[in-house]
Amino acid sequence: MGTLASFPMSSFFTGERAVVLFFISLVICSLPFSLLSHALALFLLTLASLFLEIRFETPNSGSLFPTRPGASSGLLLGAVTLPAVILSKMILLSRGLSLGEVKFEELQYLTLQYWATSASSLSVLIFLSLNLWHAPFSRSDWILKFSLCSMFLQAAVCSVSLAAIYQDLHPALKLSWLVCHGLAAVKLIQHFLRTFPSCASIGESLLVTTGIVLYFSDMLLRTMAKLSGLLMLSEVQPTEYGINRSEISTFIQGLLVGLLLYSLAFKYIIQIWEWSIKAASAEARHKEIGKSLVFFTSLGFVMIVIVPSWMQFVQEFHMHPIFWVFSFVFSEPVKRLSLCIYWVCVICFSVLRFYNISKSSKLERILLRKYYHLLAVLMFLPALIFQPKFLNLAFGAALAVFLTLEIIRVWRIWPLGQLVHQFMNAFTDHRDSDLFIVSHFSLLLGCALPIWMSSGYNDRSLAPFAGILSLGIGDTMASMVGHKYGVLRWSKSGKKTIEGTAAGITSVLAACSLLLPLLASTGHILTQHWSSLLIAVTVSGLLEAHTAQLDNAFIPLFFYSLLCL
């Protein structure tokens, strides 16, 4: 009881926790009876992460990892976001299944992804709990004990429910698959928090870790499904396992996963190169040029040979994937090339203009960054309405460029490394560091993820716009109005104001009222009710007002999930 006595009861109920709990209750209440076990698992995961977060934020909790200054642990938000998003997607597919527009295998595969995501979050929570267990007085702490009990109950529900997925696979094999997810998540979050100290909160790291593990496992499962068909000399295809992907999704997945793996391998490539030529005795200038040549040569080999080979193996492109991209672009040359020219002109003008302002103006950095949110609306909204498939591919290419530039910046690859670092540094804020700049990644991913997740069957026409509306319009208006006119603050220690939140919610609703008729005129069937839309916009706006986490990462996922219900 010592821990509880030293922790103010008023700190148990924060605005962020209240919004997250309300969000989870909406998801659970929307689930059909057939997904009762999934609802129970999400409920137990929410309880475990809630009480672990309370214990984690207790003074002298004994955390082993330095996290981003000024941010709460964010354990509750980070642990439940992705499982809740996948459950919301399952609700959407369940409606399609009842109409005969979705195959049962697709829903079955998404169920496997849900349990894999839950296992990743649960494993990280258990790992953090064991770290706290060794702190003084922790073994008599009822908060930590209750959290651990919830975790073990959630693991039991997961194990029992898993037997219903893929009847042709042994339950032990399914359980091993989830255990591998959990171990990978624990190992990855340890590596992330120690490699990039003070760059992110625990919750932000957990969200990124769970997402990366899920994306890698999806790629591995696609490869295994293809191999099993070849080894059995049958016509078994990944689609029979519910793994149905378009050429665009395959290209993006190969591109991004290849770059992530290359960023991990580059350190060893450089070590081997230095050992082979005995670069330690060479001049510094020659070492820099040599490292640059090794980087661009090895990167070109990976992106032109290795990654396309995997793409052709799982998707059976009828030409080299890079040539396929050109063929796709030139299949509608007027529209898509015009869109490319429009993007290039907007980016060049805006970036140069904002870069000059950042060096000479006294305008607060947070407001300057919101202009990029408006720029995202200007660039992505027309493309999403008229060229959604091309925008889907363009997001993957842009993210690959950002990853490449970040690798160049971190490793200071000559001659671009220092230039990229100086340029990026002009747009950073307190959430960025020299080790890792997350701002541009989070904005791009926040806009792209709802679009990527809406591929396939989708009966909610506004769901793909979740990132653009919440970040480009809602978040921007909330910051600008709150900064200029805000008086009533949500909390004494925070900067968010009630006026700003109201402006953000109102602006998104106004944008939806203009967007819905436009979508109807282009042939979209509108099934979104205004009551559910109002709830989705309000809950997302309240999360933006109360969270101390990276809002670009969480708000689009919240908004997308609520739109799917």
Side-chain angles (χ1 to χ4, degrees), residues 285-419:
R285 181 66 172 177
H286 292 163
K287 289 177 63 176
E288 287 298 314
I289 296 176
K291 185 171 74 171
S292 177
L293 291 175
V294 170
F295 170 79
F296 287 110
T297 302
S298 57
L299 180 63
F301 180 75
V302 169
M303 291 293 104
I304 297 175
V305 178
I306 297 179
V307 169
S309 298
W310 175 85
M311 295 177 189
Q312 290 180 309
F313 175 73
V314 298
Q315 191 70 38
E316 296 183 359
F317 285 81
H318 297 295
M319 62 182 73
H320 193 283
I322 295 179
F323 294 146
W324 177 88
V325 170
F326 285 103
S327 174
F328 176 78
V329 173
F330 284 97
S331 62
E332 296 183 26
V334 176
K335 294 180 180 179
R336 292 170 180 172
L337 290 179
S338 299
L339 194 57
C340 289
I341 295 172
Y342 167 70
W343 284 342
V344 170
C345 293
V346 171
I347 290 173
C348 291
F349 175 79
S350 302
V351 168
L352 292 176
R353 175 64 177 165
F354 295 154
Y355 183 68
N356 292 330
I357 292 176
S358 69
K359 294 190 297 182
S360 59
S361 175
K362 296 182 179 179
L363 186 67
E364 285 195 28
R365 188 65 59 88
I366 184 65
L367 293 181
L368 180 63
R369 288 157 54 86
K370 296 306 175 185
Y371 287 117
Y372 280 96
H373 289 226
L374 292 175
L375 180 63
V377 177
L378 188 64
M379 291 178 59
F380 304 146
L381 192 60
L384 183 53
I385 296 174
F386 300 108
Q387 284 288 324
K389 291 184 178 180
F390 182 59
L391 180 62
N392 196 341
L393 179 63
F395 270 130
L399 191 58
V401 171
F402 280 175
L403 280 171
T404 304
L405 290 177
E406 187 65 11
I407 296 172
I408 291 174
R409 187 193 68 84
V410 170
W411 283 94
R412 296 296 194 272
I413 301 298
W414 180 86
L416 301 175
Q418 189 60 32
L419 294 175

Side-chain angles (χ1 to χ4, degrees), residues 200-231:
S201 68
I202 300 292
E204 293 163 357
S205 303
L206 179 54
L207 178 70
V208 173
T209 296
T210 307
I212 290 177
V213 170
L214 187 66
Y215 205 50
F216 270 70
S217 70
D218 178 78
M219 182 179 186
L220 179 60
L221 200 58
R222 293 185 66 185
T223 307
M224 292 169 57
K226 188 68 176 182
L227 279 173
S228 66
L230 294 176
L231 293 177

